[in-house]
Amino acid sequence: MRLDKYLKVSRIIKRRTVANEACDASHISVNGKRAKASYEVKIGDIIEVGFGQKTLRVRVTDIRETTKKAEATDMFEVLSE
């Protein structure tokens, strides 16, 4: 699954266009490297998302095409905020 779609489906970022723009602006990194929106996310990847002064680090635990809002947090494990 593409990185921008994963960020949207897991509800880390609310809209796919915003996720795509964040990737283009180098606010997203996967496994310590800057990632493009087209990066193929795999289970075990560590994603870092920069929100202004804060950085959210999560580990991918599941990949699904669609999910309910209540189950979205099951797709990742928060490592640090």
Side-chain angles (χ1 to χ4, degrees):
M1 175 183 290
R2 288 173 53 103
L3 177 60
D4 57 346
K5 185 171 181 180
Y6 179 82
L7 292 170
K8 184 230 180 247
V9 171
S10 65
R11 290 178 171 81
I12 294 172
I13 296 179
K14 292 187 189 247
R15 289 185 306 237
R16 189 168 177 179
T17 55
V18 175
N20 203 322
E21 291 168 3
C23 291
D24 291 343
S26 298
H27 293 291
I28 313 286
S29 63
V30 178
N31 299 325
K33 298 178 184 172
R34 297 286 179 214
K36 294 184 178 182
S38 61
Y39 174 84
E40 285 294 317
V41 176
K42 297 175 282 306
I43 292 175
D45 282 345
I46 296 177
I47 301 173
E48 294 183 31
V49 182
F51 294 108
Q53 299 297 324
K54 292 175 129 183
T55 301
L56 174 67
R57 290 183 73 224
V58 297
R59 178 181 293 121
V60 177
T61 57
D62 194 8
I63 297 174
R64 300 181 211 154
E65 290 296 317
T66 60
T67 186
K68 295 178 182 174
K69 187 175 183 180
E71 298 171 356
T73 56
D74 297 339
M75 293 179 64
F76 59 91
E77 169 191 353
V78 177
L79 301 174
S80 67
E81 290 187 47

